[in-house]
Amino acid sequence: MEYYVAYLLMPCLLWWSINLLWRPSSWKFGYGGNRLPPGPRPLPIIGNILELGDKPHQALAKLSKLYGPVMMIKLGAITTIVISSPEAAKEALQKNDQLLCGRQIPDTIKASGHHAESVVWLPASDKWKQLRKVCTVQMFSAHKLDAGQLLRRKKVDELVSFVHQSCRRGHCVDIGKAAFTTVLNLISNTLFSVDLANHDEGSSQEFRNLVWGVMEETGKPNMSDFFPALRWFDLQGARRRISGYFSRLAIFGGMIEERTQVRASMIDSSPSNDVLDSLINLNESGELSRHEIKSLLLDLFVAGVDTSTSSLEWAMAELLHNLEKIARAHEELDRVVGGNGGTLQEPDIARLPYLQAIVKETLRLHPPVPFLIPHKAESDVEMCRFLLPRHTQVLVNVWAMGRDPSIWPDPDSFMPERFLGREIDFKGRDFELIPFGTGRRICPGMPLAYRMVHLILASLLRSFDWKLEQGVRPEEMDMTEKFGITLQKATPLRAIPMEV
């Protein structure tokens, strides 16, 4: 990995690192008379960094089988607890929610300054509560979501129209790109009443590359996180790269300014009454600053677009990898939607249990954020008979929990049927399946993601049959994961649509 170059500067940190690693709160014998969680023995200075590999979620899942569902590792100077079972996750995120609700902020996010006003990265402070409330009231309440049904249907109809054109031309469809464009325009219309991309142009791919760049740089191992004294050297170039991504995503300031000028020039015209208008109203009343609005919009875009897109691409990939599942989904859609004039509407989702099972199974196998967003202990925490010292980073490996054979029979197989007749969902109550987190740090955009993912997936399945590119057989599909703060499919999914 590219962080090996940092070893050149390690001698100057020798005394400091050894002092951190071997102080009286010893690794083996515990802290304050309590035993620390078990874990692999760390190497001097670097700790367990070398054991992460390029897919840390998988590497740590294997280690947890040896050391247990509450495991302790050292990542340079950072003490990290890895949680890999529903029982431990429930104790951490429900029983100790208040003590473990802090955030371990990556250096890349600090470099951009985004963490100071981000609903994702702020501590659970009054400012965070205010931003969280704004998200819920202005965008994710049941009333707001119901009011946006026609808009979502319109954007999905545009996607179906684009796929129909590709079908007539005999062209392959890049599923991830098409889904990204749809989700991007759906969110941009909700926020600004404008499209930001077109299915026939490359604009969405450029925006997608920027969003993935932020996710990749934020999630991958970084020497500046493991050894804070090295952050100014930016040995991996992560600060430089993410600063470039954020500068190119800085479109929201211009949109705010333009809308403000339009509002000031209006006499009899009515405002757009979209989310941006609501946020500007809050700014004018002194409840939100311009910087807070820009940070909030950036959070909504980057997190909302990327996670929904990756879930849709993984769902279609698993279905094309298991063609018999598509046939069952078609049968259910024909039976339920066929009697409704053939037009799929959001209320139909509640009557599509197999479609819901497909989404749940996709999120089990491919959680959008495999470790959730890193938590941090705000004080010493007693948990599962262990003591977690203050400032400990806490990673909840939901990817490992989704692959645990003691919870899920045949865990590596795609079997939506396992959810039929089973009262389990992904809304934070059932700790076997918490891809969006739980407790006070649960993803605020989950209600919108739920509607978007089900509606788009159902429309793609309802309107078309699908087959892989010429010469590719289902068993030969590349299902490799690409790791960042979110999990993406390493090889884009390209499929040929056929008229039903």
Side-chain angles (χ1 to χ4, degrees):
M1 297 175 68
E2 57 188 348
Y3 51 70
Y4 291 140
V5 297
Y7 295 163
L8 297 175
L9 295 176
M10 285 302 154
C12 68
L13 295 170
L14 181 59
W15 179 87
W16 174 72
S17 300
I18 290 178
N19 182 58
L20 284 175
L21 286 168
W22 304 107
R23 61 185 184 269
S25 56
S26 74
W27 184 259
K28 182 176 180 180
F29 298 106
Y31 176 88
N34 293 282
R35 195 170 72 88
L36 294 171
R41 184 74 177 184
L43 293 173
I45 304 175
I46 63 173
N48 304 106
I49 292 175
L50 298 181
E51 299 184 68
L52 294 181
D54 61 351
K55 295 182 177 62
H57 59 300
Q58 296 183 17
L60 294 180
K62 291 179 181 178
L63 286 174
S64 71
K65 293 178 181 178
L66 297 174
Y67 297 100
V70 182
M71 177 178 68
M72 191 171 188
I73 60 173
K74 273 286 192 178
L75 301 177
I78 305 299
T79 299
T80 299
I81 301 297
V82 183
I83 291 173
S84 305
S85 76
E87 295 78 18
K90 185 174 184 178
E91 188 160 346
L93 303 181
Q94 186 179 85
K95 180 181 177 181
N96 294 291
D97 183 27
Q98 185 173 356
L99 297 176
L100 294 176
C101 66
R103 285 300 194 211
Q104 186 73 26
I105 304 172
D107 180 67
T108 48
I109 297 297
K110 291 180 180 178
S112 68
H114 179 57
H115 67 291
E117 293 168 330
S118 165
V119 71
V120 176
W121 298 106
L122 276 169
S125 59
D126 289 340
K127 179 188 283 190
W128 172 80
K129 291 177 183 177
Q130 180 190 24
L131 292 174
R132 178 94 182 191
K133 181 179 179 181
V134 169
C135 287
T136 301
V137 172
Q138 302 299 336
M139 192 169 181
F140 303 129
S141 67
H143 172 72
K144 290 287 187 180
L145 292 174
D146 288 343
Q149 286 188 49
L150 291 178
L151 171 61
R152 288 190 288 278
R153 184 66 260 173
K154 178 183 177 182
K155 293 300 142 186
V156 172
D157 286 344
E158 291 173 4
L159 168 64
V160 171
S161 176
F162 165 73
V163 176
H164 271 301
Q165 293 177 23
S166 299
C167 180
R168 289 192 293 270
R169 298 168 183 168
H171 292 172
C172 278
V173 174
D174 184 322
I175 300 294
K177 181 180 177 182
F180 185 92
T181 301
T182 301
V183 175
L184 174 65
N185 284 340
L186 198 158
I187 292 180
S188 68
N189 272 274
T190 301
L191 297 178
F192 310 123
S193 304
V194 296
D195 285 342
L196 288 182
N198 188 293
H199 284 288
D200 294 320
E201 299 174 356
S203 53
S204 66
Q205 187 59 44
E206 180 182 359
F207 203 102
R208 191 182 185 193
N209 291 340
L210 292 176
V211 170
W212 170 246
V214 171
M215 293 298 189
E216 184 177 33
E217 296 297 341
T218 303
K220 71 181 181 182
N222 185 355
M223 288 300 292
S224 296
D225 294 323
F226 303 150
F227 299 97
L230 295 176
R231 65 185 184 275
W232 301 114
F233 296 99
D234 192 23
L235 294 169
Q236 294 167 246
R239 277 177 165 249
R240 172 181 50 80
R241 287 191 296 272
I242 203 163
S243 294
Y245 295 139
F246 273 112
S247 65
R248 292 162 67 189
L249 284 169
I251 60 174
F252 306 119
M255 289 184 170
I256 296 169
E257 184 62 32
E258 181 181 349
R259 180 65 63 83
T260 301
Q261 292 176 3
V262 169
R263 285 162 57 103
S265 65
M266 286 192 308
I267 300 176
D268 298 321
S269 301
S270 60
S272 300
N273 289 324
D274 52 23
V275 172
L276 181 56
D277 263 330
S278 299
L279 296 180
I280 292 176
N281 289 338
L282 293 175
N283 171 248
E284 292 175 347
S285 66
E287 297 179 58
L288 282 181
S289 70
R290 288 286 186 96
H291 287 295
E292 288 170 338
I293 293 176
K294 286 191 287 186
S295 291
L296 186 58
L297 295 175
L298 184 60
D299 284 338
L300 294 172
F301 262 89
V302 173
V305 177
D306 183 77
T307 55
S308 297
T309 299
S310 64
S311 296
L312 283 162
E313 186 171 23
W314 278 118
M316 287 295 293
E318 288 289 359
L319 288 169
L320 287 167
H321 197 51
N322 301 271
L323 294 176
E324 70 280 4
K325 312 299 183 185
I326 292 184
R328 182 163 182 176
H330 277 158
E331 185 278 328
E332 180 182 71
L333 285 162
D334 289 343
R335 175 168 39 83
V336 173
V337 183
N340 191 29
T343 301
L344 177 72
Q345 303 294 341
E346 282 187 15
D348 294 326
I349 294 171
R351 299 187 294 129
L352 297 168
Y354 193 69
L355 178 75
Q356 295 178 53
I358 288 172
V359 174
K360 291 177 184 177
E361 183 73 342
T362 301
L363 293 172
R364 178 187 72 83
L365 285 170
H366 310 284
V369 185
F371 289 128
L372 303 182
I373 302 296
H375 289 245
K376 185 175 72 172
E378 299 289 358
S379 62
D380 294 351
V381 181
E382 290 279 357
M383 198 195 84
C384 298
R385 307 184 314 279
F386 302 113
L387 183 83
L388 281 56
R390 185 185 181 193
H391 299 316
T392 296
Q393 175 178 235
V394 179
L395 300 179
V396 181
N397 194 344
V398 292
W399 185 93
M401 290 159 57
R403 307 279 180 142
D404 188 340
S406 68
I407 305 171
W408 311 101
D410 197 7
D412 294 325
S413 295
F414 182 76
M415 297 191 304
E417 294 79 7
R418 72 173 83 239
F419 287 102
L420 296 178
R422 185 176 180 184
E423 293 297 323
I424 182 173
D425 62 34
F426 49 78
K427 298 179 181 179
R429 296 186 295 267
D430 301 296
F431 283 80
E432 301 93 331
L433 190 68
I434 50 170
F436 297 99
T438 185
R440 69 186 65 198
R441 285 294 192 172
I442 193 170
C443 174
M446 180 185 61
L448 177 59
Y450 177 91
R451 298 192 186 211
M452 288 193 302
V453 170
H454 284 87
L455 181 63
I456 295 172
L457 179 62
S459 297
L460 290 175
L461 295 175
R462 167 71 177 158
S463 304
F464 307 96
D465 283 323
W466 294 89
K467 67 178 182 180
L468 294 168
E469 287 183 286
Q470 189 69 30
V472 179
R473 294 182 295 179
E475 60 271 21
E476 297 173 343
M477 289 178 64
D478 182 2
M479 302 293 281
T480 307
E481 299 167 331
K482 183 168 63 171
F483 181 84
I485 202 168
T486 57
L487 277 186
Q488 298 230 345
K489 194 171 179 299
T491 303
L493 176 63
R494 294 174 58 82
I496 301 173
M498 300 171 290
E499 299 286 355
V500 176

